[in-house]
């Protein structure tokens, strides 16, 4: 309203799958928030493609329309040690409420280090 666009801009702040009558016709532009680790978790790309298919007019625009995907190998001894301790915590216990979990330590360690590790930081 402050910019004089109230007759042209409609904000629909809803989960895509719940939108029904709020968007009665196809639109010229979709502004979205892509969620998810590496753009794939939380069905981020799938949701944007579904929104494009359901609501965008031919020739319409998506914003953002692209994303940069950057990967860099790194080593962090403290983080590695922390994850190792996490795997050891329960799974090396020989009597947890009378149960010996120590035979599961190898599998626990393997699973802990198979988990996705992602983070963001300033170089």
């Amino acid at each position: 309203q402050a910019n004089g666009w109230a007759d042209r801009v409609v904000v629909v702040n809803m989960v895509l799958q719940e939108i029904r009558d709020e968007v009665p016709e196809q639109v010229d532009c979709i502004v979205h928030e892509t969620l998810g680790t590496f753009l794939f978790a939380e069905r981020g790309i799938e949701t944007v493609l579904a929104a494009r298919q359901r609501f965008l007019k031919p020739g319409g625009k998506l914003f953002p329309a692209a994303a940069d995907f950057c990967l860099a190998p790194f080593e962090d001894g403290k983080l590695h040690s922390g994850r190792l301790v996490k795997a050891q915590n329960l799974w090396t216990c020989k009597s947890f409420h009378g149960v010996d979990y120590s035979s599961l330590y190898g599998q626990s360690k393997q699973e802990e280090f198979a988990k996705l590790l992602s983070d963001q930081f300033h170089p």
Side-chain angles (χ1 to χ4, degrees):
Q1 291 176 346
N3 293 301
W5 298 342
D7 62 326
R8 294 178 285 173
V9 175
V10 176
V11 176
V12 180
N13 187 14
M14 295 177 68
V15 175
L16 173 71
Q17 292 79 357
E18 296 174 0
I19 297 174
R20 298 288 180 259
D21 299 332
E22 295 82 9
V23 181
E25 60 189 60
Q26 289 191 311
V27 299
D28 298 309
C29 173
I30 295 175
V31 178
H32 65 89
E33 176 189 22
T34 303
L35 299 174
T37 305
F38 301 125
L39 305 176
F40 298 106
E42 300 181 31
R43 303 173 82 173
I45 290 178
E46 180 183 341
T47 302
V48 172
L49 294 176
R52 180 184 69 183
Q53 183 178 1
R54 282 180 64 191
F55 301 117
L56 195 61
K57 288 180 182 176
K61 302 290 182 192
L62 279 172
F63 295 100
D68 291 327
F69 190 65
C70 302
L71 297 173
F74 73 97
E75 181 178 326
D76 184 335
K78 286 183 180 180
L79 181 60
H80 181 271
S81 296
R83 291 185 84 173
L84 186 59
V85 166
K86 188 175 181 179
Q88 287 173 335
N89 249 355
L90 173 65
W91 304 112
T92 56
C93 187
K94 293 197 184 247
S95 182
F96 183 76
H97 297 283
V99 179
D100 181 354
Y101 286 115
S102 63
S103 64
L104 300 171
Y105 172 64
Q107 181 67 30
S108 167
K109 183 177 172 182
Q110 182 179 347
E111 288 181 19
E112 182 62 33
F113 285 102
K115 291 178 186 173
L116 177 65
L117 174 63
S118 64
D119 203 352
Q120 53 188 346
F121 57 92
H122 297 287

